[in-house]
Amino acid sequence: MKTKRRITFLFLLFCLLPISFNLSGASADKDIYPLKSGAENGLEALTLPHISHRPIASVFVYGSEYPDLFLLGSTGNNRNLFLCKWIKNTPEGSPVFDKPVKIDTDFSPVGTMFQTEKGEIYGFWIDKRSVLCTVFDKETLTFSKINKISEIKTPANIRSIAAFQQENGSYDFIMELNGVFFPPKYKDQSPLTEEWRPYDEAGVSTQGRRYTYLYSMHVPDIRKNRVENIRQVSDTNKEVYFGMMQMSPIVLDGNKGLITGSRRGLFPYYEVGRTKLSKQKYIASEDGNILYHPSISPGVCAYGNKKSNFSDFIAGGEGAIYFYKFTGEYTQNGFPIFKEPQLVLQNNAVLYAGSLPSPAVYDWDGDGVEDLIVGNSEGFVLFFKNIGSNDEPRFIPRGRIQAGGKDIHVQAGYSGSVQGTQESRWGYVSPTVIDWTGNGLPDIILGDITGNYTIYINRGTKTNPELEIAHPLYCEGLELHGMWRSRAAAGVLNDKLALIIVDDEDYFHLYWKIDDYNVEDGGKLKLADGNFIRASAEPAGGTGRCKLDLFDFDRDGQLDLIIGTGRRSTIPNMKTGYPWAVLGRRTHGTPLFMKNVGKKGEIVFDHPKPFHHTSVGLVQPGGAHETGAVGTNLGGGKSSNLIVANESGRLFLLKGDNMRFMELEEAAKYKDKRNPFPVLE
């Protein structure tokens, strides 16, 4: 009977699966799966289907030599908890985990966890000025409530928390609270309004600055609503700018400590005394200087095996997750020294290109097959080598692309972001790969957070690219500047090398190459009806975010425009523009096609059209910030294909044979209805 029921269930499941098949029998929705790592065992960076990946705790769930890892995935207000099983360590000591398993909770999973010497796992979750105490069941992978410690009398709501168990079974909790606040110079401003002024007339930041600090409390029994000795334990109420993100107990050389993350990527460290914490120190690198995380807003948790006394740590925020190994040494001022970070890895992983990726396609290493070169919000440019073929590509991560012997790493700095100093460590880089100099080697033209366009000239060989350091592109002697977070399109139009950007008036603009570093103004681009092509619906931080690509998508011999957009793009105008005007304010970034309809030397384009995919309808890979998209012949087929990205770092190869263009009337049915790809990994 059991076998019969199982067969019936499988038959019904097969009938209900939302899979469509083409005449060859291949699944038409196969291409809406993220691209997988082609490395041995699918080894790639451990990530979640979220923009942010924050470690919550390392605990022994499966009885392995090393602990398993709980991660919090966050995209806006959408938060999910995941458990990753430890598999092995790399030769360098970085942990490798199995595929993350989502853990359903009926509470917001913002907090921490603690494992007792007996192996019991407790979770402590923040709810304003209360802490929900739970116990984790290893068999069912669920949390059960045991108590809620309510109305904790702290001066402000709790932002993050760390738990220390005492020998008698009681707990001391250290809590992060909002502290000193320096108000903004100008009140009631939003970075999406015309009145927004992130810097004053002297170039000084006008934004408010908030700091956090530390309190502690003693809880004799986590099953009872009783709290003792609530007090401030940090030296000041101005400890860390913006926030600590996540903090964790850590033991170094047998001494109890507390390590925290930060918005700027530093790792504050405190020695834990009986009644107070030490003065703030920092984690240092092997050169003796303060160590910075590769990306912004890392949270932390201690990590080590049963013998190591948890002397290492794992950190993650926006971007990949990293492992930090303690050297056992300290600087002269007592800062613990850690080795440079190593990627935390996952078996059978999808390719991960960092948050808000912007891809390009080019045969980077001259082996005859096209590769992926991808920029991201962290400010790095990544190389994914194609070890397959052009028709059946397989990609493996080959790390960051360098220029002048160092990783390309663009960051806004103090005044480089239109949204102010809070974004000083973002880069939002978008590479365009083209033989700009005409020497047969691929160069990179880079758009970024600042709105500037720079060129990295390749002085290497066909099989061994070597980029010079960045050099500005100039027009009429002034640095070429457009809207932030955008990608330039480059290609041959009318037998001349052309560059198209979103200009500083927020319109599509054509430039012609003069030499390696200079372009001449070719004027604003036009539609066939003679109107200019507008890019954005909102001012200030709502501008830009367009990813332009010149590619003959319809194979008629003329280069068309493929455009990746953000939610606030409104191409080509405020009445019939995509996605904002047609698809509404609640939509997602939407790749677009603009046909080149120019004749007799004209360069004009048709009204844009979004893509429809057989399996999902309107193509919106996922995310409101911005969506990278380029045309490609990778993947074969009778039609041109698309490489698109979602904001959580996944890349997709969409087959043109499974797509068509959408007209306005059909697209308008999706107004205010987001249509991201389902999570199928």
Side-chain angles (χ1 to χ4, degrees), residues 370-389:
E370 293 190 316
D371 309 299
L372 295 178
I373 297 90
V374 189
N376 58 36
S377 68
E378 301 162 67
F380 295 112
V381 181
L382 308 181
F383 171 39
F384 295 92
K385 179 177 174 58
N386 184 356
I387 60 172
S389 65

PDB file of all heavy atoms in Angstrom, residues 370-389:
ATOM      1  N   GLU A 370      34.021  32.682 -24.600  1.00  0.00           N
ATOM      2  CA  GLU A 370      33.713  33.924 -23.899  1.00  0.00           C
ATOM      3  C   GLU A 370      33.528  33.684 -22.403  1.00  0.00           C
ATOM      4  O   GLU A 370      32.929  32.688 -21.989  1.00  0.00           O
ATOM      5  CB  GLU A 370      32.470  34.572 -24.503  1.00  0.00           C
ATOM      6  CG  GLU A 370      32.694  35.060 -25.931  1.00  0.00           C
ATOM      7  CD  GLU A 370      31.553  35.898 -26.439  1.00  0.00           C
ATOM      8  OE1 GLU A 370      30.387  35.506 -26.225  1.00  0.00           O
ATOM      9  OE2 GLU A 370      31.814  36.950 -27.048  1.00  0.00           O
ATOM     10  N   ASP A 371      34.038  34.627 -21.621  1.00  0.00           N
ATOM     11  CA  ASP A 371      34.003  34.551 -20.165  1.00  0.00           C
ATOM     12  C   ASP A 371      33.052  35.623 -19.620  1.00  0.00           C
ATOM     13  O   ASP A 371      32.466  36.402 -20.379  1.00  0.00           O
ATOM     14  CB  ASP A 371      35.411  34.774 -19.605  1.00  0.00           C
ATOM     15  CG  ASP A 371      36.456  33.882 -20.255  1.00  0.00           C
ATOM     16  OD1 ASP A 371      36.323  32.651 -20.135  1.00  0.00           O
ATOM     17  OD2 ASP A 371      37.379  34.419 -20.899  1.00  0.00           O
ATOM     18  N   LEU A 372      32.917  35.645 -18.299  1.00  0.00           N
ATOM     19  CA  LEU A 372      32.129  36.681 -17.635  1.00  0.00           C
ATOM     20  C   LEU A 372      33.052  37.572 -16.814  1.00  0.00           C
ATOM     21  O   LEU A 372      33.909  37.082 -16.067  1.00  0.00           O
ATOM     22  CB  LEU A 372      31.082  36.059 -16.709  1.00  0.00           C
ATOM     23  CG  LEU A 372      29.977  35.233 -17.365  1.00  0.00           C
ATOM     24  CD1 LEU A 372      29.054  34.648 -16.302  1.00  0.00           C
ATOM     25  CD2 LEU A 372      29.172  36.079 -18.343  1.00  0.00           C
ATOM     26  N   ILE A 373      32.881  38.874 -16.963  1.00  0.00           N
ATOM     27  CA  ILE A 373      33.584  39.873 -16.153  1.00  0.00           C
ATOM     28  C   ILE A 373      32.494  40.681 -15.474  1.00  0.00           C
ATOM     29  O   ILE A 373      31.642  41.283 -16.147  1.00  0.00           O
ATOM     30  CB  ILE A 373      34.491  40.774 -17.017  1.00  0.00           C
ATOM     31  CG1 ILE A 373      35.587  39.938 -17.692  1.00  0.00           C
ATOM     32  CG2 ILE A 373      35.118  41.865 -16.168  1.00  0.00           C
ATOM     33  CD1 ILE A 373      35.231  39.381 -19.025  1.00  0.00           C
ATOM     34  N   VAL A 374      32.491  40.695 -14.140  1.00  0.00           N
ATOM     35  CA  VAL A 374      31.328  41.211 -13.405  1.00  0.00           C
ATOM     36  C   VAL A 374      31.765  42.193 -12.327  1.00  0.00           C
ATOM     37  O   VAL A 374      32.645  41.890 -11.504  1.00  0.00           O
ATOM     38  CB  VAL A 374      30.538  40.056 -12.747  1.00  0.00           C
ATOM     39  CG1 VAL A 374      29.223  40.586 -12.179  1.00  0.00           C
ATOM     40  CG2 VAL A 374      30.268  38.926 -13.736  1.00  0.00           C
ATOM     41  N   GLY A 375      31.152  43.378 -12.314  1.00  0.00           N
ATOM     42  CA  GLY A 375      31.354  44.332 -11.232  1.00  0.00           C
ATOM     43  C   GLY A 375      30.247  44.212 -10.208  1.00  0.00           C
ATOM     44  O   GLY A 375      29.188  43.631 -10.475  1.00  0.00           O
ATOM     45  N   ASN A 376      30.470  44.759  -9.008  1.00  0.00           N
ATOM     46  CA  ASN A 376      29.453  44.654  -7.958  1.00  0.00           C
ATOM     47  C   ASN A 376      29.457  45.871  -7.046  1.00  0.00           C
ATOM     48  O   ASN A 376      30.284  46.777  -7.191  1.00  0.00           O
ATOM     49  CB  ASN A 376      29.615  43.353  -7.170  1.00  0.00           C
ATOM     50  CG  ASN A 376      30.998  43.220  -6.533  1.00  0.00           C
ATOM     51  OD1 ASN A 376      31.592  44.203  -6.082  1.00  0.00           O
ATOM     52  ND2 ASN A 376      31.522  42.004  -6.491  1.00  0.00           N
ATOM     53  N   SER A 377      28.534  45.875  -6.090  1.00  0.00           N
ATOM     54  CA  SER A 377      28.382  47.028  -5.203  1.00  0.00           C
ATOM     55  C   SER A 377      29.566  47.195  -4.261  1.00  0.00           C
ATOM     56  O   SER A 377      29.826  48.288  -3.767  1.00  0.00           O
ATOM     57  CB  SER A 377      27.094  46.914  -4.387  1.00  0.00           C
ATOM     58  OG  SER A 377      27.173  45.846  -3.465  1.00  0.00           O
ATOM     59  N   GLU A 378      30.315  46.118  -4.020  1.00  0.00           N
ATOM     60  CA  GLU A 378      31.497  46.207  -3.156  1.00  0.00           C
ATOM     61  C   GLU A 378      32.631  46.976  -3.813  1.00  0.00           C
ATOM     62  O   GLU A 378      33.583  47.375  -3.143  1.00  0.00           O
ATOM     63  CB  GLU A 378      31.985  44.808  -2.786  1.00  0.00           C
ATOM     64  CG  GLU A 378      30.951  43.962  -2.068  1.00  0.00           C
ATOM     65  CD  GLU A 378      31.313  42.491  -2.118  1.00  0.00           C
ATOM     66  OE1 GLU A 378      32.325  42.110  -1.496  1.00  0.00           O
ATOM     67  OE2 GLU A 378      30.610  41.731  -2.796  1.00  0.00           O
ATOM     68  N   GLY A 379      32.545  47.151  -5.143  1.00  0.00           N
ATOM     69  CA  GLY A 379      33.579  47.893  -5.853  1.00  0.00           C
ATOM     70  C   GLY A 379      34.637  47.037  -6.501  1.00  0.00           C
ATOM     71  O   GLY A 379      35.645  47.558  -6.992  1.00  0.00           O
ATOM     72  N   PHE A 380      34.444  45.708  -6.537  1.00  0.00           N
ATOM     73  CA  PHE A 380      35.389  44.799  -7.170  1.00  0.00           C
ATOM     74  C   PHE A 380      34.910  44.408  -8.565  1.00  0.00           C
ATOM     75  O   PHE A 380      33.713  44.471  -8.870  1.00  0.00           O
ATOM     76  CB  PHE A 380      35.552  43.523  -6.333  1.00  0.00           C
ATOM     77  CG  PHE A 380      36.161  43.741  -4.978  1.00  0.00           C
ATOM     78  CD1 PHE A 380      35.401  43.549  -3.825  1.00  0.00           C
ATOM     79  CD2 PHE A 380      37.477  44.134  -4.838  1.00  0.00           C
ATOM     80  CE1 PHE A 380      35.947  43.743  -2.568  1.00  0.00           C
ATOM     81  CE2 PHE A 380      38.042  44.337  -3.576  1.00  0.00           C
ATOM     82  CZ  PHE A 380      37.269  44.140  -2.446  1.00  0.00           C
ATOM     83  N   VAL A 381      35.852  43.972  -9.404  1.00  0.00           N
ATOM     84  CA  VAL A 381      35.537  43.409 -10.715  1.00  0.00           C
ATOM     85  C   VAL A 381      36.031  41.964 -10.701  1.00  0.00           C
ATOM     86  O   VAL A 381      37.214  41.697 -10.464  1.00  0.00           O
ATOM     87  CB  VAL A 381      36.214  44.192 -11.850  1.00  0.00           C
ATOM     88  CG1 VAL A 381      35.846  43.579 -13.204  1.00  0.00           C
ATOM     89  CG2 VAL A 381      35.799  45.663 -11.812  1.00  0.00           C
ATOM     90  N   LEU A 382      35.120  41.008 -10.944  1.00  0.00           N
ATOM     91  CA  LEU A 382      35.415  39.588 -10.822  1.00  0.00           C
ATOM     92  C   LEU A 382      35.513  38.932 -12.194  1.00  0.00           C
ATOM     93  O   LEU A 382      34.822  39.321 -13.135  1.00  0.00           O
ATOM     94  CB  LEU A 382      34.331  38.885 -10.000  1.00  0.00           C
ATOM     95  CG  LEU A 382      33.997  39.489  -8.636  1.00  0.00           C
ATOM     96  CD1 LEU A 382      32.916  38.660  -7.939  1.00  0.00           C
ATOM     97  CD2 LEU A 382      35.238  39.585  -7.752  1.00  0.00           C
ATOM     98  N   PHE A 383      36.376  37.910 -12.277  1.00  0.00           N
ATOM     99  CA  PHE A 383      36.564  37.140 -13.512  1.00  0.00           C
ATOM    100  C   PHE A 383      36.041  35.727 -13.301  1.00  0.00           C
ATOM    101  O   PHE A 383      36.466  35.030 -12.383  1.00  0.00           O
ATOM    102  CB  PHE A 383      38.056  37.118 -13.868  1.00  0.00           C
ATOM    103  CG  PHE A 383      38.424  36.192 -15.000  1.00  0.00           C
ATOM    104  CD1 PHE A 383      37.609  36.055 -16.119  1.00  0.00           C
ATOM    105  CD2 PHE A 383      39.599  35.469 -14.966  1.00  0.00           C
ATOM    106  CE1 PHE A 383      37.954  35.205 -17.164  1.00  0.00           C
ATOM    107  CE2 PHE A 383      39.964  34.623 -16.001  1.00  0.00           C
ATOM    108  CZ  PHE A 383      39.136  34.490 -17.103  1.00  0.00           C
ATOM    109  N   PHE A 384      35.097  35.317 -14.149  1.00  0.00           N
ATOM    110  CA  PHE A 384      34.583  33.950 -14.149  1.00  0.00           C
ATOM    111  C   PHE A 384      34.987  33.302 -15.479  1.00  0.00           C
ATOM    112  O   PHE A 384      34.486  33.682 -16.540  1.00  0.00           O
ATOM    113  CB  PHE A 384      33.063  33.934 -13.986  1.00  0.00           C
ATOM    114  CG  PHE A 384      32.600  34.458 -12.658  1.00  0.00           C
ATOM    115  CD1 PHE A 384      32.273  35.796 -12.502  1.00  0.00           C
ATOM    116  CD2 PHE A 384      32.497  33.623 -11.556  1.00  0.00           C
ATOM    117  CE1 PHE A 384      31.849  36.293 -11.281  1.00  0.00           C
ATOM    118  CE2 PHE A 384      32.079  34.107 -10.325  1.00  0.00           C
ATOM    119  CZ  PHE A 384      31.756  35.443 -10.182  1.00  0.00           C
ATOM    120  N   LYS A 385      35.914  32.355 -15.403  1.00  0.00           N
ATOM    121  CA  LYS A 385      36.441  31.714 -16.600  1.00  0.00           C
ATOM    122  C   LYS A 385      35.467  30.666 -17.118  1.00  0.00           C
ATOM    123  O   LYS A 385      34.937  29.858 -16.347  1.00  0.00           O
ATOM    124  CB  LYS A 385      37.790  31.058 -16.310  1.00  0.00           C
ATOM    125  CG  LYS A 385      38.406  30.343 -17.519  1.00  0.00           C
ATOM    126  CD  LYS A 385      39.771  29.769 -17.196  1.00  0.00           C
ATOM    127  CE  LYS A 385      40.300  28.933 -18.351  1.00  0.00           C
ATOM    128  NZ  LYS A 385      40.398  29.692 -19.615  1.00  0.00           N
ATOM    129  N   ASN A 386      35.264  30.664 -18.416  1.00  0.00           N
ATOM    130  CA  ASN A 386      34.424  29.671 -19.074  1.00  0.00           C
ATOM    131  C   ASN A 386      35.278  28.450 -19.401  1.00  0.00           C
ATOM    132  O   ASN A 386      36.134  28.501 -20.286  1.00  0.00           O
ATOM    133  CB  ASN A 386      33.816  30.269 -20.344  1.00  0.00           C
ATOM    134  CG  ASN A 386      32.847  29.326 -21.041  1.00  0.00           C
ATOM    135  OD1 ASN A 386      32.664  28.180 -20.633  1.00  0.00           O
ATOM    136  ND2 ASN A 386      32.222  29.811 -22.103  1.00  0.00           N
ATOM    137  N   ILE A 387      35.050  27.340 -18.682  1.00  0.00           N
ATOM    138  CA  ILE A 387      35.809  26.113 -18.945  1.00  0.00           C
ATOM    139  C   ILE A 387      35.004  25.159 -19.821  1.00  0.00           C
ATOM    140  O   ILE A 387      35.427  24.036 -20.071  1.00  0.00           O
ATOM    141  CB  ILE A 387      36.222  25.417 -17.636  1.00  0.00           C
ATOM    142  CG1 ILE A 387      34.992  25.035 -16.803  1.00  0.00           C
ATOM    143  CG2 ILE A 387      37.182  26.290 -16.845  1.00  0.00           C
ATOM    144  CD1 ILE A 387      35.316  24.171 -15.598  1.00  0.00           C
ATOM    145  N   GLY A 388      33.856  25.613 -20.294  1.00  0.00           N
ATOM    146  CA  GLY A 388      33.049  24.836 -21.228  1.00  0.00           C
ATOM    147  C   GLY A 388      33.255  25.361 -22.636  1.00  0.00           C
ATOM    148  O   GLY A 388      34.375  25.652 -23.067  1.00  0.00           O
ATOM    149  N   SER A 389      32.168  25.542 -23.350  1.00  0.00           N
ATOM    150  CA  SER A 389      32.210  26.076 -24.707  1.00  0.00           C
ATOM    151  C   SER A 389      31.281  27.274 -24.788  1.00  0.00           C
ATOM    152  O   SER A 389      30.563  27.591 -23.836  1.00  0.00           O
ATOM    153  CB  SER A 389      31.777  25.000 -25.708  1.00  0.00           C
ATOM    154  OG  SER A 389      30.412  24.649 -25.506  1.00  0.00           O
TER     155      SER A 389
END
